[in-house]
Amino acid sequence: MQTLPSAAVPPALKRRIPRVADLAPLMQFKKPEFGAAARLQRANTTWDLRDMAKRRTPTAPFDYTDGAAEAEISLGRAREAFLDLEFRPGILRNVQTVSTVTPILGGNSALPFGIAPTGFTRMMQSEGEYAGSQAAEAAGIPYTLSTMGTASIEDVAQAAPNGRNWFQLYLWTDRDRSMELIARAAAAGNDTLMVTVDTAVAGARLRDVRNGMTIPPALTLKTVLDASYRPAWWFNFLTHEPLSFASLSRYSGTVADLINSMFDPTLTYEDLDWLRSVWKGNLVVKGIQTLDDAKKAVDHGADGIILSNHGGRQLDRAPIPLHLLPRVAAELKGKTDIILDTGIMSGGDIVAAVALGADFTLIGRAYLYGLMAGGRKGVDRTIEILGTQTARTMQLLGVNRIEDLNPDHVRLLGDATADVELPRAAVTL
């Protein structure tokens, strides 16, 4: 290789002995930061929070959150659907300011997502539903308490008195008990009742079976050893009120046994009519997996529908909510509020769902990963991460407002029409 004559070498490329004054600006060391707040701040994605959660939580409660039914194909496909899409950005738009305010069920949410109902939440981390409801209140988004929650309807209302609290209902075979829960939800100020309809029987959640997941948790030698090197979780578990389903009677047995003994496999649309007659607030049907059922739910009085396969925790190989969404939106957009859950792990996922026709989304596992990673502060961090990602994705798409998102901004790869080609293989992330 021919070298340049010394006269032709630019001054910046001539070697010299570095001066201390030149090195000083380049050798500034960041002060070490310790503690939960610093640890959570280092999390940049919900996957980072999941890694933290796994390190800090015993196997049984972590797997209860992380797992799904049977081979977990439904969950893998739902997540793959969000990966297998293409954004179509618009350029040369003024996106200096962005509003993520989203109208939903007669009110506004500061972000286009809320917290989904999750059962047994204080098993994941002792702050449980209290952390979720208070974080949602602070962020200005809805929070949904599950029938199988470990804090009562009244306690959540007291913990987050200014929050928008919703209640999720499993219809019991005992209608008087169902009516009692409905009355309590109304008295506590819940404006929305979310009835789940995809649990005629329990799905086969094999991780829970292998881990011996019971209610309350059984302290076997295996569970004690597993928890022993997670002292914070162990300390919290032993020093707080014993776990139980706060809205239910005391129950001892497996999760599947509880579902199979309590929930009604004979439910029909007539039961939805009954609910519509006794509940005066917003009625939302969760667990819609076909266009036909979406239409019927609206015909029977639903103010909103949730396209969901229960996070993949019920029927394995169930329809993928994101793939179903465009067909439902084409028929029902503007006639009912369309909400989507299952597989959401980023703000980009949320933006894609809204662009394809969802009015709103719900997060379940993503919120629980934050809870397990750091209690209330972890949930705050989850919401912060998803909110930041949502706003940034909107800006990069050239969009200022949630209502400006539309199907032109997203293409499901391999989907030229509404007949979406399913992924060829499950991807468990």
Side-chain angles (χ1 to χ4, degrees):
M1 179 183 295
Q2 186 176 7
T3 60
L4 294 173
S6 59
V9 177
L13 299 183
K14 291 182 178 179
R15 295 193 183 277
R16 59 187 176 83
I17 297 174
R19 295 177 297 177
V20 174
D22 294 334
L23 290 176
L26 304 176
M27 300 181 66
Q28 296 180 8
F29 295 98
K30 185 178 179 181
K31 182 180 178 180
E33 296 179 332
F34 303 100
R39 182 181 68 250
L40 291 169
Q41 200 58 38
R42 288 193 290 271
N44 297 304
T45 68
T46 53
W47 294 109
D48 292 341
L49 292 171
R50 179 186 179 275
D51 291 341
M52 293 180 185
K54 189 171 185 179
R55 290 194 296 269
R56 297 174 63 83
T57 312
T59 299
F62 179 83
D63 278 356
Y64 179 78
T65 297
D66 197 59
E70 300 188 39
E72 304 188 359
I73 295 170
S74 290
L75 176 58
R77 286 177 175 174
R79 287 180 173 163
E80 176 69 12
F82 283 108
L83 298 178
D84 197 24
L85 60 80
E86 177 183 87
F87 283 122
R88 293 180 168 181
I91 60 170
L92 298 177
R93 273 74 163 176
N94 183 348
V95 289
Q96 184 175 6
T97 60
V98 170
S99 173
T100 58
V101 174
T102 307
I104 183 66
L105 294 167
N108 281 333
S109 172
L111 294 160
F113 63 89
I115 292 181
T118 60
F120 220 178
T121 312
R122 288 183 55 240
M123 181 67 175
M124 317 315 161
Q125 203 273 353
S126 59
E127 296 177 60
E129 290 87 358
Y130 302 101
S133 59
Q134 290 175 338
E137 178 186 50
I141 65 175
Y143 172 82
T144 315
L145 175 67
S146 171
T147 296
M148 297 174 71
T150 46
S152 71
I153 299 169
E154 294 78 12
D155 285 348
V156 167
Q158 185 175 7
N162 298 313
R164 190 173 184 195
N165 296 320
W166 298 350
F167 183 68
Q168 176 270 335
L169 177 73
Y170 289 110
L171 265 177
W172 297 22
T173 52
D174 184 344
R175 288 294 184 270
D176 290 338
R177 296 297 299 276
S178 295
M179 194 62 221
E180 176 188 343
L181 286 177
I182 292 169
R184 287 170 59 190
N190 291 257
D191 65 62
T192 296
L193 185 70
M194 182 185 296
V195 58
T196 297
V197 295
D198 58 3
T199 51
V201 296
R205 302 171 193 175
L206 300 183
R207 290 203 216 183
D208 295 344
V209 173
R210 293 166 184 143
N211 291 328
M213 185 73 173
T214 61
I215 310 162
L219 295 180
T220 64
L221 177 61
K222 177 181 177 181
T223 58
V224 170
L225 290 175
D226 187 52
S228 63
Y229 57 92
R230 297 171 172 98
W233 184 94
W234 185 246
F235 178 76
N236 285 333
F237 177 75
L238 290 177
T239 58
H240 286 89
E241 178 183 311
L243 297 177
S244 65
F245 290 131
S247 296
L248 311 180
S249 302
R250 296 282 177 177
Y251 179 85
S252 181
T254 66
V255 175
D257 287 343
L258 173 62
I259 293 175
N260 286 332
S261 66
M262 185 183 73
F263 305 134
D264 189 352
T266 68
L267 289 180
T268 68
Y269 280 97
E270 291 181 0
D271 297 289
L272 191 58
D273 293 334
W274 174 78
L275 268 182
R276 179 70 283 175
S277 70
V278 299
W279 176 258
K280 304 309 178 186
N282 299 313
L283 180 62
V284 177
V285 179
K286 181 178 184 290
I288 299 293
Q289 298 175 70
T290 68
L291 175 58
D292 185 53
D293 280 336
K295 291 178 179 178
K296 287 180 180 178
V298 175
D299 290 342
H300 284 263
D303 300 298
I305 55 173
I306 302 177
L307 308 184
S308 168
N309 62 30
H310 212 106
R313 296 164 69 80
Q314 284 296 104
L315 175 66
D316 209 9
R317 299 183 180 87
I320 302 167
L322 189 70
H323 287 173
L324 175 62
L325 175 59
R327 294 191 284 272
V328 172
E331 295 275 347
L332 297 176
K333 188 74 171 178
K335 299 177 183 178
T336 191
D337 281 7
I338 302 171
I339 303 172
L340 181 138
D341 75 11
T342 303
I344 293 173
M345 287 292 286
S346 74
D349 298 343
I350 293 165
V351 169
V354 174
L356 288 171
D359 295 297
F360 201 63
T361 62
L362 295 173
I363 58 167
R365 286 184 179 89
Y367 136 66
L368 292 177
Y369 293 143
L371 176 68
M372 290 185 285
R376 161 68 194 277
K377 292 180 179 178
V379 182
D380 289 335
R381 184 60 178 149
T382 298
I383 296 171
E384 181 183 14
I385 288 170
L386 293 175
T388 298
Q389 292 174 337
T390 296
R392 182 172 59 243
T393 303
M394 290 171 61
Q395 288 176 299
L396 292 173
L397 285 174
V399 171
N400 299 88
R401 304 179 305 164
I402 287 292
E403 51 264 44
D404 293 334
L405 289 166
N406 64 70
D408 290 339
H409 290 115
V410 181
R411 181 169 72 94
L412 295 173
L413 298 180
D415 179 25
T417 68
D419 295 323
V420 179
E421 179 184 355
L422 298 180
R424 290 185 293 275
V427 177
T428 302
L429 300 176

